[in-house]
Amino acid sequence: MTSTALTLFNSLTRKAEVFAPVHEGEARVYSCGPTVYNYPHIGNMRAYVFADMLGRVLTWKGYRLTHVINITDVGHLTDDADQGEDKMEKMAAARSQSIWDIAEHYTQAYWQDVAALNIRQPARWTVATDYIDSMIAFAKRIAPKHCYELDSGLYFDVSTVADYGRLARAVTDEGEGRIEAVEGKRNAADFAIWRKTPAGETRQMEWDSPWGRGAPGWHLECSVMSGEVLGFPFDIHTGGIDHREIHHPNEIAQNQAFCGCGGESAMSLADPANSGARIWMHNNFLVERSGKMSKSSGEFLRLQLLVDKGYHPLAYRMLCLQAHYRSELEFSWDGLGAALVRLKRLLAAARNAIDAVEDGAVEDGAVLADVQAAVTHPRLAPLLEKFDAALSDDLNTPVALTVLEEAVTLKKVDAAQKGALVAAMMSALGLPLADRKALRIAPKDASITGDEIEDILARRKAARADKDFALSDALRDELAAKGVDVMDGDPLGWEWRLPG
């Protein structure tokens, strides 16, 4: 069996392209990380499930992966289009806390969500405030040809680079409406490289620079961190589709300037040396109709809210995998519940399949070549080929999931090979081989613990064995009164559930 070539959709060219790494055998990826001024909502976390799947597929295809995710702890404004207050400063003032404490608290909260969704740790977390000197050096290098100074800071002149806005397919009237109107700007789309602290004000985070005391622009941070750690050009830059309109075009403009590929250059933007990354990839939005996706709504949809309602975080990962990353994904509680049921069924079947696999043989980060060597059965090898083809087709996880489910139900095949195949597929999708009971979570307002439920169920089982059906019914009613559904006759053996 041969491996299917990996194709990825490049937002820059708007077409699927065969992945060809800049460095032989390596894959270097940068993902726009969170601004740690608040808890991430589940729409934010979809971007990191997608980036994790990209990394897992690159590992699956045999590449040595270097994945970098940044932590923005300064410089991100309340409007992504370069206007308003710094989100970090604003939250610190609202909470009467140090901005450093705000950053630490919400970074830890984000990392907890990363772990809960079984997202692999990147090779490097880059924290914006660790790179201030590099940002100033980057800005000094591009300023003479590409920037100009106003009272409010240093601005990038987008007319000095070729094809500005090509990633977003031009700066539309709507896009321009999201960009700050600053007196003295040469072009509506020009953006801040360095923002001076206004006279008479003091920021908690500010530094001296050739353009006055202040803080870096948000767009500058990602250009500096990605280029310094991965080197220009690197392979893939990821982010949410909202970044495709302004943030990433601004990154590209900075990268063009830094690489010496300005408007006077004959080089095309399609040249990888010109945009910073060869491929730009974006996940689509998570759509939620109630309006609770906004962080300004109070009880917004963060991962902990799902847990409080009795849903395991991996149900959300499954929900994400059921849709292609470039498709809109609609969130509903019913949809999340269905994803949890599907995950539990899959785990029950997968656990049975891997019983024949030796302990320690299952690793988080399966590699196709290793699986091909282990799985040669004539009925299993074609499934491996179909699974690889799905992942290689721009991370088609919905199809890959159906192939995995086909594999776990296949009968009369070599048990050890089937176990190896299922374990590898689960790893490639980031689905841990847990017992389905580990996915039971009591809602926050539950009036009974899991241990208490198991104790009553044991007594009920004994009553049924003694044909004491009156006691059995009474114990069932006792559980029902506390919000527990007893599931007699379930072929999966689920004995109870707490409704979300």
Side-chain angles (χ1 to χ4, degrees):
M1 171 188 160
T2 58
S3 171
T4 303
L6 174 61
T7 60
L8 301 171
F9 186 84
N10 188 351
S11 296
L12 192 59
T13 59
R14 295 295 199 274
K15 64 182 181 181
E17 301 175 2
V18 174
F19 178 66
V22 175
H23 302 88
E24 184 70 27
E26 293 184 47
R28 301 184 183 184
V29 181
Y30 181 87
S31 296
C32 279
T35 302
V36 285
Y37 73 103
N38 206 333
Y39 298 106
H41 59 57
I42 58 173
N44 299 141
M45 295 310 297
R46 186 187 187 193
Y48 305 113
V49 173
F50 151 61
D52 180 61
M53 272 308 310
L54 172 63
R56 287 176 183 274
V57 170
L58 289 166
T59 298
W60 171 263
K61 303 300 284 188
Y63 294 103
R64 298 187 304 277
L65 175 66
T66 302
H67 189 185
V68 174
I69 304 178
N70 75 291
I71 300 292
T72 296
D73 58 349
V74 64
H76 191 164
L77 305 184
T78 51
D79 189 303
D80 290 354
D82 203 32
Q83 66 182 1
E85 300 173 84
D86 184 302
K87 292 179 178 180
M88 300 298 301
E89 295 275 354
K90 184 176 181 179
M91 181 59 77
R95 297 285 180 86
S96 299
Q97 288 182 282
S98 157
I99 197 170
W100 306 99
D101 290 339
I102 292 289
E104 174 65 18
H105 175 78
Y106 290 116
T107 297
Q108 292 299 326
Y110 164 69
W111 283 342
Q112 288 172 10
D113 286 356
V114 164
L117 290 169
N118 201 40
I119 293 169
R120 293 194 301 179
Q121 287 288 310
R124 185 105 157 250
W125 296 102
T126 58
V127 180
T129 49
D130 292 341
Y131 289 81
I132 298 299
D133 288 345
S134 297
M135 293 176 198
I136 293 172
F138 187 108
K140 286 173 67 176
R141 174 167 163 172
I142 68 173
K145 288 186 177 181
H146 301 278
C147 302
Y148 58 94
E149 194 171 351
L150 298 177
D151 290 343
S152 55
L154 184 69
Y155 286 82
F156 190 98
D157 184 340
V158 298
S159 69
T160 64
V161 292
D163 300 323
Y164 174 77
R166 177 181 170 187
L167 179 68
R169 288 298 187 268
V171 180
T172 63
D173 292 340
E174 180 183 357
E176 289 186 358
R178 293 175 54 209
I179 297 173
E180 180 181 15
V182 175
E183 186 176 353
K185 281 173 62 171
R186 297 174 182 173
N187 309 286
D190 291 354
F191 56 92
I193 293 289
W194 187 268
R195 302 180 71 91
K196 297 179 187 178
T197 301
E201 293 184 16
T202 302
R203 296 167 54 101
Q204 289 194 46
M205 286 186 174
E206 57 180 5
W207 296 264
D208 290 324
S209 82
W211 316 282
R213 192 161 178 81
W218 175 44
H219 314 298
L220 178 65
E221 298 175 11
C222 284
S223 283
V224 170
M225 290 184 283
S226 62
E228 183 159 314
V229 178
L230 298 176
F232 289 138
F234 56 92
D235 295 299
I236 304 170
H237 195 310
T238 79
I241 197 170
D242 51 322
H243 292 339
R244 192 183 66 186
E245 307 308 310
I246 294 176
H247 178 45
H248 287 172
N250 289 353
E251 273 192 69
I252 288 173
Q254 293 166 158
N255 297 346
Q256 287 176 275
F258 187 81
C259 296
C261 308
E264 72 281 0
S265 171
M267 295 182 70
S268 165
L269 182 57
D271 189 300
N274 211 358
S275 70
R278 279 190 169 173
I279 297 177
W280 293 76
M281 299 180 68
H282 298 89
N283 64 282
N284 213 325
F285 292 113
L286 182 75
V287 180
E288 198 277 325
R289 305 297 180 187
S290 75
K292 288 190 175 182
M293 196 64 71
S294 169
K295 294 178 183 178
S296 62
S297 67
E299 189 189 45
F300 62 88
L301 284 172
R302 53 177 293 223
L303 202 61
Q304 186 58 48
L305 180 62
L306 274 55
V307 174
D308 290 345
K309 290 184 177 293
Y311 296 91
H312 195 279
L314 288 177
Y316 179 65
R317 184 181 182 100
M318 173 63 90
L319 186 70
C320 291
L321 296 180
Q322 289 177 165
H324 192 273
Y325 77 90
R326 288 195 291 116
S327 301
E328 281 192 349
L329 172 60
E330 182 164 358
F331 176 85
S332 70
W333 294 107
D334 287 344
L336 184 65
L340 180 59
V341 169
R342 185 180 186 185
L343 179 59
K344 286 184 174 181
R345 291 182 184 277
L346 179 58
L347 287 181
R351 287 300 312 180
N352 290 335
I354 66 164
D355 282 345
V357 180
E358 295 182 5
D359 290 342
V362 180
E363 298 182 359
D364 189 19
V367 178
L368 172 62
D370 297 337
V371 187
Q372 288 174 323
V375 178
T376 58
H377 191 283
R379 294 179 63 204
L380 293 171
L383 290 179
L384 175 58
E385 190 168 356
K386 285 173 62 177
F387 184 80
D388 174 58
L391 293 184
S392 301
D393 181 17
D394 195 29
L395 319 184
N396 196 333
T397 55
V399 172
L401 274 172
T402 63
V403 178
L404 168 58
E405 289 168 331
E406 186 179 352
V408 297
T409 57
L410 198 62
K411 301 186 184 304
K412 297 181 180 179
V413 293
D414 181 273
Q417 289 196 33
K418 176 181 174 179
L421 177 62
V422 169
M425 289 178 169
M426 294 285 284
S427 172
L429 291 169
L431 297 174
L433 290 159
D435 189 289
R436 66 179 181 274
K437 289 186 178 180
L439 302 187
R440 290 175 174 169
I441 294 178
K444 188 177 181 179
D445 58 357
S447 60
I448 188 171
T449 68
D451 288 343
E452 290 171 332
I453 294 170
E454 296 291 353
D455 178 65
I456 295 173
L457 285 173
R459 290 162 52 201
R460 184 170 182 268
K461 183 176 181 180
R464 288 167 66 86
D466 292 340
K467 300 190 183 302
D468 187 346
F469 297 114
L471 177 58
S472 172
D473 290 345
L475 292 171
R476 182 186 182 113
D477 292 344
E478 179 183 345
L479 288 170
K482 295 183 177 181
V484 180
D485 293 338
V486 178
M487 304 173 72
D488 290 331
D490 189 326
L492 287 178
W494 302 346
E495 294 170 317
W496 57 271
R497 71 181 179 94
L498 283 160

